[in-house]
Amino acid sequence: RAHSPPADPDTMAAAAAVADEVKAADVEAPTAKKAKLASADGEDENWPEAWYMTDEVEAGEPQKQEQRLEPNQPASIELLKSLGIRYWSVPPDAWTYPVKSVPWDPSDALDPKLSEIRDERGYSYADIITVHEDHLPDFENKVKAFFSEHIHDAEEIRYIIDGSGYFDVRDFEDKWIRIWIKKGDLMTLPEGIYHRFTCDTDNFIHAMRLFKGVPVWTPFNRPQEEHASRKHYVEAYVEAAKAE
């Protein structure tokens, strides 16, 4: 009966080393961290265009126009961030969203970047609305109502699925800045900032609203200097900017 030759010690050692590497790879692979798709604090590039606008704008058709100063005075990304605004680019074309869903479960989001932003920032509620005369009763009067200057007692979050419109915000000197948000833009406004919203001349915006906890959309029209949320904003942003 034939006998196998004794194994070479060097060969046995090499085989054992390979086996150990395979085992290590099996243990490490499941725990490897995936690359983040989105920062919880927003992005620093490719923000929507923003500019200083006419101070007095009549509600109705004038509110939907660009209302730029002459010459145009752009507002920088750095300024918008200092006001507490945050931004992400989230292209929606690969995903399907309903025309309207109130509420809409944010855990239904299939877009991994949108899901990551939701989880990182704790957004547990969402709904989807379409601002257009075919989908919003009393369209013109509702759009005029959106244009009243106000604050909220919570962060305001909008993700633009389609269409476009304007967020107007006050800077530290109480001047109006107009931000032109369009398809694929996700923007947050901090609690307590004076702002307003309107469609542009296309009269169409398909948007997702996100919220932490139970949604409260109550606007508090200006003046609100004694409101706790306004005081918080002034302390966190306005006074902080003056101190720099």
Side-chain angles (χ1 to χ4, degrees):
R1 180 176 165 182
H3 294 277
S4 299
D8 178 66
D10 291 339
T11 302
M12 293 178 64
V18 171
D20 288 342
E21 289 178 4
V22 171
K23 288 180 181 178
D26 288 343
V27 171
E28 293 174 4
T31 59
K33 291 185 176 180
K34 296 181 179 178
K36 280 186 172 291
L37 298 173
S39 165
D41 199 39
E43 298 172 358
D44 296 327
E45 298 179 348
N46 302 316
W47 280 47
E49 185 184 7
W51 57 86
Y52 280 92
M53 64 178 295
T54 309
D55 189 51
E56 298 293 333
V57 177
E58 184 180 347
E61 287 305 311
Q63 77 186 55
K64 303 174 187 177
Q65 297 165 4
E66 294 185 15
Q67 299 293 346
R68 297 175 189 262
L69 299 178
E70 292 291 344
N72 185 50
Q73 296 182 24
S76 69
I77 294 173
E78 290 73 18
L79 173 57
L80 298 181
K81 290 183 69 175
S82 72
L83 296 172
I85 299 167
R86 296 295 179 264
Y87 170 79
W88 296 260
S89 175
V90 188
D93 291 334
W95 318 102
T96 300
Y97 298 98
V99 171
K100 180 179 179 181
S101 181
V102 182
W104 184 79
D105 188 345
S107 66
D108 287 344
L110 299 177
D111 182 341
K113 185 172 184 179
L114 180 60
S115 297
E116 191 170 296
I117 295 168
R118 175 203 67 204
D119 293 342
E120 289 279 350
R121 295 182 67 87
Y123 300 144
S124 56
Y125 173 92
D127 62 27
I128 297 174
I129 60 172
T130 297
V131 180
H132 183 269
E133 60 184 357
D134 292 343
H135 302 286
L136 183 65
D138 198 20
F139 171 77
E140 291 295 345
N141 286 326
K142 291 283 179 62
V143 173
K144 287 180 182 178
F146 296 158
F147 201 57
S148 297
E149 183 176 2
H150 61 278
I151 66 170
H152 294 294
D153 58 3
E155 179 185 46
E156 181 162 341
I157 308 103
R158 294 292 183 273
Y159 172 42
I160 310 306
I161 299 168
D162 201 359
S164 54
Y166 301 119
F167 265 124
D168 298 339
V169 298
R170 293 283 192 181
D171 75 355
F172 295 130
E173 297 178 355
D174 213 32
K175 296 179 180 178
W176 279 118
I177 295 172
R178 172 151 283 192
I179 308 169
W180 202 353
I181 51 172
K182 300 181 181 182
K183 180 179 179 178
D185 293 336
L186 193 159
M187 180 168 283
T188 68
L189 304 184
E191 171 188 348
I193 190 173
Y194 280 125
H195 68 284
R196 62 193 180 192
F197 172 79
T198 181
C199 295
D200 58 21
T201 53
D202 287 341
N203 288 316
F204 169 67
I205 190 163
H206 184 198
M208 181 184 298
R209 306 186 296 183
L210 296 121
F211 205 85
K212 297 177 182 178
V214 178
V216 179
W217 310 118
T218 306
F220 299 94
N221 288 348
R222 189 171 185 171
Q224 291 294 336
E225 302 312 314
E226 297 305 312
H227 193 289
S229 293
R230 181 60 188 173
K231 288 183 175 180
H232 171 75
Y233 179 80
V234 169
E235 180 180 355
Y237 295 100
V238 181
E239 292 180 356
K242 290 178 180 178
E244 291 181 355

